[in-house]
Amino acid sequence: MPLFDKKHDAPGKLIIVEGIDGSGKSTQIALLEKWLESQGYSVFFTEWNSSELVRETTKEGKKKNLLTPTTFSLLHATDFADRLNYQIIPPLKAGMIVLADRYAYTAFARDVVRGVHPQWVRSLYNFAIKPDLSFYFRVPIQAACDRILTSRAQIKFYEAGMDLGLSPDIRESFKIFQSKILEQYEKMIHEYNLVPIDATLEIHEQQEVVRDKVKEVLKGYLKKRTIYAKRPKVFWRRFTVS
Amino acid sequence: MPNDPKYFGEGLPYLKPFKNKGKLITIEGTDGTGRSTQVDLLKEWLEVQGYAVVETGWTRSNLMHKSIEMAKSGNMMDRMTFTLLYATDFADRLESQILPALKSGHIVLADRYIFTAFVRDSVRRADPKWIRNLFGFALVPDLVLYLKIDMETLIPRVIESGGMNYWEAGMDLHMGQDLFDSFVNYQSALVNEYEKLAKEYSFEVIDACKGVEDIRDKIREKVKDILGKPKK
């Protein structure tokens, strides 16, 4: 049985973005949401590692460096299961377009680099549904590093893969860790039909390609606009900052 | 004798190779079978003989207990999320308590093990393959003691010792008209699932309808078998 291949039969559409830190995927999904809403679609946004249930635990585990590759992976899967149940399936069943910033592929890339077995983490997420469209923002490692290292004051311990002991220098560790994640993503393009987007292009050029792909997926989809759609605050915060 | 650790599935591929110098003994059984009493008695007995013992229990990890308490009190989670929370808790205890203790030659007594998750999930109609893969990182115990009980013995015991609670009665499953019916149906279903696992994983079945001393003696016999000669 192929792993992680469950199509959903809900009337909505699930569109997700993937890519390493600094690939610009969050900017792109924010622009996509803006456009879809302007077109009269009802959109729901959800983000990796954001459920309240495990937020405190993950925060504390990270702060005290208590996490092992397995507990790291399982905590993120728990977060995902909770969001799938509350934030992804209901809007899909209601016929909305769900936009997800990162999906299970993030786990397949990161957790495998941390050392868990690739088959194990794939079957772990076997309860998830396959997105209707998955974008992969492809960026050379140096470009991503430049973006992250100049835009942010501090790289976090786990973000840099410091738990793996790749290098005592956090910047160097970040670079090695993200390169390894990049390799995993490259392998997944074919495995999961990810749509690669050249993330070195100008922002608006990328967005044009993204919107064209989305249009194809939305052929035959009936837009439904709810009278009152509450937009998650987190989206607007991210959007105005970037 | 030190040996290489054996896992149910893929194990923990990122760990450096190590030898297991201890023994992992797990006790399974539904609520009210007297598991914790027996764990205390067994620990005492082993220590008197000179074995160093470490105890670990279901949902007792430092990392996860807050999230689990929050989840239980909120009553707002689906089965999958619950199972994953418990799996995270177990992984944390495995890596931070169980493995270090075994490496240094302790006997680890686990009050409940992954089989608890298996039976609870089976009753909730989960995919058995999925959960077996999930717990593929778990270490195979040297001994699984299963305290088997029937409903006639269990029900008065539970009522006498403080009553039935929401989760012990499987109220999330709506298996009965009221707490009592639900408890009976849920616990019977759990016992049925344990029966299946007992064959699949060669549990040592112990009749938990007997008195505390009888159960204790039976457990000691089984433990002696895996320890070899007693240390004097």
Side-chain angles (χ1 to χ4, degrees):
Chain A
M1 194 187 80
L3 292 173
F4 194 69
D5 200 24
K6 199 158 64 186
K7 282 292 290 168
H8 71 85
D9 50 7
K13 296 284 177 190
L14 175 59
I15 300 170
I16 68 111
V17 296
E18 286 282 357
I20 59 171
D21 292 329
S23 61
K25 61 188 173 336
S26 305
T27 306
Q28 291 296 330
I29 202 171
L31 290 169
L32 178 62
E33 175 167 21
K34 192 103 189 154
W35 175 67
L36 287 169
E37 285 188 335
S38 76
Q39 299 294 302
Y41 291 108
S42 179
V43 184
F44 192 91
F45 175 80
T46 179
E47 190 179 22
W48 190 250
N49 198 26
S50 63
S51 99
E52 258 175 61
L53 178 68
V54 291
R55 185 184 294 153
E56 284 307 308
T57 302
T58 312
K59 227 164 89 184
E60 201 171 300
K62 284 183 177 174
K63 203 170 71 194
K64 297 184 181 160
N65 302 337
L66 290 173
L67 303 180
T68 69
T70 304
T71 49
F72 187 96
S73 185
L74 287 169
L75 268 179
H76 286 85
T78 312
D79 168 84
F80 182 83
D82 196 42
R83 285 186 304 111
L84 185 72
N85 198 36
Y86 280 92
Q87 299 181 13
I88 298 178
I89 306 261
L92 280 182
K93 287 196 168 173
M96 296 169 76
I97 297 177
V98 178
L99 299 180
D101 189 348
R102 295 190 175 280
Y103 204 66
Y105 309 114
T106 287
F108 300 171
R110 272 190 198 168
D111 298 357
V112 166
V113 171
R114 287 214 150 78
V116 305
H117 198 283
Q119 285 307 108
W120 178 77
V121 67
R122 278 162 174 75
S123 355
L124 174 61
Y125 280 88
N126 221 15
F127 61 87
I129 49 174
K130 215 180 163 188
D132 297 285
L133 181 58
S134 305
F135 289 109
Y136 165 53
F137 290 86
R138 202 178 204 173
V139 67
I141 187 68
Q142 195 52 52
C145 286
D146 290 346
R147 279 186 207 171
I148 290 288
L149 299 176
T150 52
S151 72
R152 284 194 219 170
Q154 216 183 351
I155 310 169
K156 290 173 191 144
F157 184 87
Y158 282 95
E159 217 177 26
M162 289 297 278
D163 53 318
L164 297 174
L166 299 166
S167 163
D169 177 56
I170 192 157
R171 284 161 174 256
E172 190 53 31
S173 175
F174 179 84
K175 198 169 163 182
I176 303 171
F177 182 54
Q178 298 291 338
S179 317
K180 286 173 183 262
I181 293 175
L182 206 64
E183 274 171 36
Q184 294 298 325
Y185 272 127
E186 289 294 324
K187 284 191 213 160
M188 277 190 282
I189 294 177
H190 290 292
E191 189 181 357
Y192 294 110
N193 291 320
L194 308 180
V195 177
I197 303 287
D198 181 354
T200 58
L201 295 175
E202 292 302 320
I203 290 176
H204 67 92
E205 291 173 327
Q206 292 179 50
Q207 186 61 206
E208 216 167 289
V209 185
V210 166
R211 290 181 185 180
D212 283 345
K213 289 284 175 197
V214 170
K215 273 183 210 159
E216 278 174 37
V217 167
L218 294 184
K219 259 178 208 155
Y221 167 79
L222 291 176
K223 67 177 92 172
K224 271 191 225 158
R225 184 73 157 144
T226 49
I227 296 166
Y228 176 70
K230 193 180 162 204
R231 297 178 183 113
K233 281 194 190 116
V234 65
F235 164 70
W236 292 106
R237 180 171 56 73
R238 289 177 66 90
F239 186 65
T240 46
V241 166
S242 51
Chain B
M1 275 287 119
N3 55 12
D4 292 320
K6 224 167 74 193
Y7 299 95
F8 282 105
E10 311 294 353
L12 301 161
Y14 48 86
L15 291 186
K16 289 192 197 100
F18 66 92
K19 292 287 177 194
N20 175 0
K21 290 196 276 183
K23 295 282 179 202
L24 175 59
I25 300 173
T26 70
I27 303 197
E28 285 282 358
T30 59
D31 298 301
T33 47
R35 277 188 338 270
S36 39
T37 310
Q38 293 298 335
V39 168
D40 291 344
L41 289 169
L42 182 57
K43 181 168 189 263
E44 174 80 23
W45 181 69
L46 286 167
E47 284 174 347
V48 168
Q49 292 180 77
Y51 292 101
V53 178
V54 166
E55 226 188 296
T56 181
W58 203 239
T59 77
R60 277 196 230 153
S61 84
N62 293 331
L63 182 66
M64 295 305 291
H65 71 266
K66 256 191 233 157
S67 282
I68 291 178
E69 282 315 307
M70 178 177 159
K72 276 188 165 178
S73 62
N75 180 23
M76 47 148 204
M77 271 197 315
D78 73 325
R79 175 186 55 74
M80 198 69 78
T81 316
F82 235 119
T83 305
L84 286 166
L85 269 182
Y86 283 122
T88 317
D89 171 86
F90 175 76
D92 186 49
R93 286 184 298 107
L94 180 68
E95 290 184 80
S96 67
Q97 302 173 359
I98 301 178
L99 291 181
L102 291 175
K103 277 184 211 172
S104 56
H106 288 69
I107 294 182
V108 177
L109 297 184
D111 184 354
R112 294 192 176 280
Y113 203 62
I114 60 172
F115 309 108
T116 290
F118 290 8
V119 296
R120 288 182 181 170
D121 257 38
S122 295
V123 170
R124 291 172 174 82
R125 294 175 204 284
D127 174 9
K129 257 198 231 149
W130 180 79
I131 194 162
R132 279 162 177 72
N133 170 78
L134 169 62
F135 283 99
F137 61 84
L139 203 65
V140 178
D142 296 282
L143 179 63
V144 185
L145 298 161
Y146 167 50
L147 302 185
K148 185 181 170 178
I149 199 158
D150 55 38
M151 289 307 119
E152 291 76 45
T153 320
L154 177 64
I155 291 160
R157 264 197 215 174
V158 168
I159 293 176
E160 275 169 26
S161 69
M164 301 161 168
N165 79 33
Y166 183 91
W167 293 106
E168 284 174 8
M171 288 297 275
D172 57 316
L173 292 170
H174 308 288
M175 290 175 93
Q177 289 291 314
D178 55 21
L179 189 67
F180 183 88
D181 288 354
S182 180
F183 180 89
V184 174
N185 291 334
Y186 179 58
Q187 295 289 337
S188 314
L190 289 177
V191 170
N192 278 337
E193 293 302 328
Y194 267 125
E195 282 300 297
K196 291 182 207 160
L197 290 183
K199 291 195 187 86
E200 188 181 345
Y201 294 100
S202 339
F203 293 175
E204 292 294 346
V205 182
I206 288 165
D207 184 357
C209 301
K210 299 241 170 76
V212 173
E213 284 81 15
D214 282 330
I215 301 173
R216 180 199 65 195
D217 293 344
K218 270 273 178 298
I219 288 178
R220 286 181 184 177
E221 267 174 42
K222 299 292 177 195
V223 172
K224 269 184 204 159
D225 289 344
I226 66 154
L227 290 181
K229 274 186 204 157
K231 287 183 186 172
K232 277 278 161 67

